[in-house]
Amino acid sequence: MWYQKDWFTGSDYYNLKEKQIHAEEIEIKKPVEQRFHEMTEIYYVKSGDADIWINGEQYQIQEGSFCCLYMHHFYRIERIRKPLRCVKVSFHIGLFMFLCFEQHKANENEMLMYGVSPLFFLDPEEKQRVLRILDDLLTEEREEKFLLNNMNIYLAMQLHALYCRYAMERKKKEDSKSDRVWDVIHRVLLDTSKTVPLEEYAKAVGMTAVTLNRKIVQRCGYTFFQLQKMGKVFNACALLHFPDLNIQYISDYLGFTSIEDFYRVFKRYTNVSVREYQRQNVGNGVQMHSEEEALQILIYLILNFHDPFQIKEMEKALKKKAYLIERRTNEVFGRSVLELLEEIRIRIACSYLVATDRTITQISSDVGFGSISSFQRSFFKYMNQTPSRFRSCMKSK
């Protein structure tokens, strides 16, 4: 065995690059420009005060900040009010993904990578535990004793596991505070390629089907059934811009019981037939260049119709410049972003007028209009009648 040296241990067969762990104490006195980083970087801030931008979102970093930045996190540090003293630990995420034997619920690994906050503050007990691991890591780096790499891997794994645990605990608290009814409304609008029963949504939020349906009407003016159909119709409008997709395919994909059902529901919600819609929009050369971008824009407007419109917030949410959003909206829908939002608000106002006893002034405010006069003008433009007239006609049927 003497002449075989190290080869028989199998060490040459492993990618040593993946096992590299680096731990260091650093001081950041000057702004850090945005950059790409190949390794995952964990920061713990011992002291200081500054702002950090992560994927376009601003966070404040101070003593006790705990931050995990994967390769898809682009960041820069600016406005350093007090120099940052940090411990930085870097590693290749592949090693940790390979060694994650613990079984998690569906989509939890994806949530850890993309759905939790990359930065948060630790409470005193959490700080003590993180600092113990960091002190051991720094000691290993300084002393460089036998099995240094293995010790650093074990310690860095503990550090990363604590980040995952603390991040998920905070995520669950945020979820528990969210409006569960609006979460269902969002989900129904997105679940358009399948028909999920009301009872399934109700079970998920701990309500009876009757209660959930009543709360959905209170929030958006649509019943669950109407909302489900509306989501399918909105997506049908997007899919109709693709000449390669035939009507039968779109009907089947969106879960309609038959093509006749599709035609009937489409006309009920848009006031034009499928063929008329195609002639008015697709036939004029208005074709969707990117179904994902168009649906993003449409869904964003549907989910935020009741809020004052701010293009900066839309840019931030969609991660696209305003001129690109405007151009895509014109290409696909043949109108500006504000015109599309106006039409969505009027459509939802129609449901409020039919399904609730709210006053017209209240409905005007609920759907996002700044004044009753602007609401009246917009409503007449789209519906060719006043809100009062529309309500009386619909309730007399």
Side-chain angles (χ1 to χ4, degrees):
M1 300 295 280
W2 177 262
Y3 295 103
Q4 292 174 321
K5 299 187 181 298
D6 276 345
W7 73 265
F8 68 92
T9 66
S11 60
D12 290 343
Y13 291 90
Y14 294 93
N15 182 356
L16 295 179
K17 181 181 178 183
E18 284 287 297
K19 296 184 179 181
Q20 292 175 1
I21 307 287
H22 300 291
E24 57 182 334
E25 288 194 271
I26 61 173
E27 187 173 32
I28 302 174
K29 297 180 178 179
K30 298 179 180 179
V32 176
E33 293 184 359
Q34 182 167 293
R35 65 186 184 87
F36 170 79
H37 51 104
E38 182 186 355
M39 301 178 80
T40 296
E41 299 176 357
I42 291 183
Y43 287 88
Y44 175 77
V45 180
K46 290 187 170 182
S47 65
D49 184 13
D51 292 334
I52 184 171
W53 289 82
I54 304 172
N55 287 354
E57 188 168 353
Q58 185 180 9
Y59 301 84
Q60 186 175 8
I61 41 178
Q62 295 177 317
E63 187 271 326
S65 295
F66 194 37
C67 182
C68 182
L69 301 166
Y70 297 116
M71 287 175 62
H72 61 273
H73 288 129
F74 289 82
Y75 70 94
R76 69 180 188 274
I77 299 174
E78 57 184 38
R79 293 208 246 337
I80 300 178
R81 293 173 285 275
K82 182 180 177 182
L84 298 170
R85 285 202 316 113
C86 314
V87 180
K88 177 183 176 183
V89 180
S90 308
F91 54 85
H92 289 275
I93 192 62
L95 174 67
F96 292 85
M97 295 298 100
F98 177 72
L99 293 176
C100 279
F101 297 123
E102 185 172 298
Q103 293 296 309
H104 299 140
K105 294 179 181 177
N107 303 322
E108 282 201 341
N109 285 333
E110 178 186 0
M111 179 65 69
L112 279 170
M113 290 292 289
Y114 303 106
V116 299
S117 175
L119 183 149
F120 45 82
F121 292 96
L122 300 179
D123 64 33
E125 185 178 334
E126 293 169 342
K127 284 181 191 176
Q128 289 183 9
R129 192 164 185 186
V130 166
L131 281 169
R132 283 199 299 270
I133 296 172
L134 291 174
D135 287 343
D136 287 344
L137 265 168
L138 293 170
T139 300
E140 290 294 330
E141 287 281 334
R142 284 195 302 270
E143 297 180 353
E144 296 185 355
K145 291 184 178 180
F146 181 63
L147 290 179
L148 162 70
N149 288 338
N150 283 344
M151 287 297 294
N152 278 354
I153 287 172
Y154 301 144
L155 290 167
M157 283 186 67
Q158 290 182 59
L159 186 68
H160 184 245
L162 285 180
Y163 164 77
C164 293
R165 176 181 292 176
Y166 297 154
M168 286 296 282
E169 286 173 351
R170 284 163 171 79
K171 175 68 177 171
K172 288 173 182 175
K173 287 180 182 177
E174 289 173 9
D175 290 346
S176 66
K177 294 176 183 176
S178 65
D179 188 325
R180 293 180 298 168
V181 178
W182 270 111
D183 289 342
V184 170
I185 292 171
H186 297 175
R187 191 71 258 165
V188 172
L189 289 170
L190 294 173
D191 285 342
T192 52
S193 61
K194 53 188 175 181
T195 304
V196 181
L198 173 61
E199 289 73 17
E200 189 170 323
Y201 289 109
K203 183 179 179 182
V205 295
M207 299 181 191
T208 66
V210 172
T211 300
L212 177 59
N213 191 50
R214 185 178 69 251
K215 289 181 179 291
I216 288 173
V217 173
Q218 290 170 350
R219 295 293 199 282
C220 71
Y222 283 96
T223 65
F224 170 81
F225 177 78
Q226 291 171 327
L227 192 71
Q228 203 167 49
K229 295 295 185 184
M230 186 188 77
K232 292 180 184 295
V233 169
F234 273 124
N235 282 276
C237 290
L239 295 173
L240 287 168
H241 285 271
F242 290 90
D244 294 339
L245 300 180
N246 62 44
I247 306 299
Q248 184 67 61
Y249 174 85
I250 294 173
S251 173
D252 292 344
Y253 177 76
L254 294 174
F256 287 94
T257 55
S258 66
I259 196 166
E260 291 77 18
D261 180 42
F262 172 49
Y263 285 140
R264 187 168 53 253
V265 171
F266 189 92
K267 187 164 186 177
R268 186 190 309 151
Y269 282 86
T270 64
N271 292 322
V272 295
S273 69
V274 172
R275 297 301 182 193
E276 287 171 329
Y277 179 86
Q278 288 181 309
R279 281 197 299 271
Q280 292 172 10
N281 297 280
V282 182
N284 291 335
V286 182
Q287 290 193 354
M288 184 178 287
H289 289 234
S290 168
E291 73 277 15
E292 291 183 354
E293 287 184 336
L295 288 176
Q296 270 188 333
I297 293 167
L298 186 61
I299 290 170
Y300 176 86
L301 293 177
I302 292 170
L303 299 184
N304 296 278
F305 72 89
H306 48 295
D307 298 325
F309 179 73
Q310 295 183 357
I311 190 63
K312 291 292 184 185
E313 291 296 320
M314 194 172 185
E315 283 183 309
K316 183 178 175 181
L318 301 185
K319 297 181 173 55
K320 292 179 177 63
K321 295 293 185 184
Y323 76 90
L324 292 174
I325 295 171
E326 197 68 53
R327 186 170 68 191
R328 184 67 71 216
T329 305
N330 273 287
E331 287 173 346
V332 175
F333 303 108
R335 67 204 75 180
S336 69
V337 173
L338 285 176
E339 288 170 337
L340 183 59
L341 175 59
E342 181 185 42
E343 182 176 350
I344 290 169
R345 284 172 169 170
I346 294 301
R347 298 293 182 193
I348 294 172
C350 288
S351 289
Y352 280 148
L353 289 164
V354 174
T356 75
D357 293 323
R358 300 179 196 181
T359 66
I360 291 172
T361 301
Q362 186 178 359
I363 290 172
S364 168
S365 175
D366 289 345
V367 298
F369 283 91
S371 67
I372 185 65
S373 58
S374 62
F375 173 58
Q376 297 270 15
R377 283 195 303 272
S378 294
F379 195 93
F380 195 90
K381 180 172 72 174
Y382 284 95
M383 306 305 296
N384 202 30
Q385 57 187 319
T386 66
S388 299
R389 180 64 179 162
F390 175 83
R391 171 176 266 173
S392 61
C393 289
M394 294 301 293
K395 289 197 172 184
S396 66
K397 290 183 178 180

